[in-house]
Amino acid sequence: GAVVSQHPSRVICKSGTSVKIECRSLDFQATTMFWYRQFPKQSLMLMATSNEGSKATYEQGVEKDKFLINHASLTLSTLTVTSAHPEDSSFYICSTFLGTEAFFGQGTRLTVV
Amino acid sequence: AQRVTQPEKLLSVFKGAPVELKCNYSYSGSPELFWYVQYSRQRLQLLLRHISRESIKGFTADLNKGETSFHLKKPFAQEEDSAMYYCALSGWTGGGNKLTFGTGTQLKVEL
């Protein structure tokens, strides 16, 4: 079946540095990728929608300068957390649709120290 | 706006007991409803969707448009059903197809 691969699965970074998270569709082309943030024992909150070849669409309250999204190819979308702070520590998940079914990456646990 | 409500954060049942995870939605159009499951240390995965009307791992869910509900049911809970369950709605917004999740229900099946 369709597979979405997300990397890294876990990252620890120092406060003030930037972290890039990659999301790849392995056996299909994904023109749209969704980026979610999940807090412990809470729901997935949609942060932004990336579209191949165009600007990402951010949800209300999400800082576009802090969470940079790039979707340069049909199989790769990246989320860069810039100037990370401890409050950015969270679980980030990417997802895309194939038809009407959503497929998810395995998630990235970001810890900012 | 589309919204999904799961009123229970935690549901604890004994093995063999019936399970019902509640989900209500709000959407102006014709929605597609899904249940996703997240087992411990695994990625989110699709459990079932209303359009297929199938039973997966003994779970079923019926879309009730009158009550705007899509409750997940299983007649006899098993220990391996312990997981986090998310109800989700797929709807078209101005920017494209969008999946909205409920807050999730942690199901704990006790022996």
Side-chain angles (χ1 to χ4, degrees), chain B residues 11-17 76-82 107-111:
Chain B
L11 183 64
S12 188
V13 301
F14 286 107
K15 179 180 174 181
F76 308 104
Q78 301 299 314
E79 194 181 353
E80 56 265 28
D81 295 329
S82 295
L107 175 64
K108 187 177 179 183
V109 180
E110 299 182 81
L111 299 175

Side-chain angles (χ1 to χ4, degrees), chain A residues 15 57 69 90:
Chain A
S15 188
T57 305
I69 288 173
S90 192

Side-chain angles (χ1 to χ4, degrees), chain A residues 4 34 36 38 42-44 46 59 97 100-102 104-106, chain B residues 32 34 36 38 43-44 46 49 86 90 97-99 101-103:
Chain A
V4 176
F34 300 91
Y36 294 88
Q38 185 179 30
Q42 293 190 33
S43 185
L44 283 75
L46 181 64
E59 296 299 301
F97 277 98
T100 57
E101 183 172 345
F104 295 85
Q106 58 267 57
Chain B
E32 285 195 67
F34 304 81
Y36 285 88
Q38 189 172 28
R43 75 178 71 195
L44 205 62
L46 178 67
R49 49 182 152 180
Y86 294 96
S90 176
N97 212 10
K98 183 175 167 178
L99 201 59
F101 288 87
T103 48

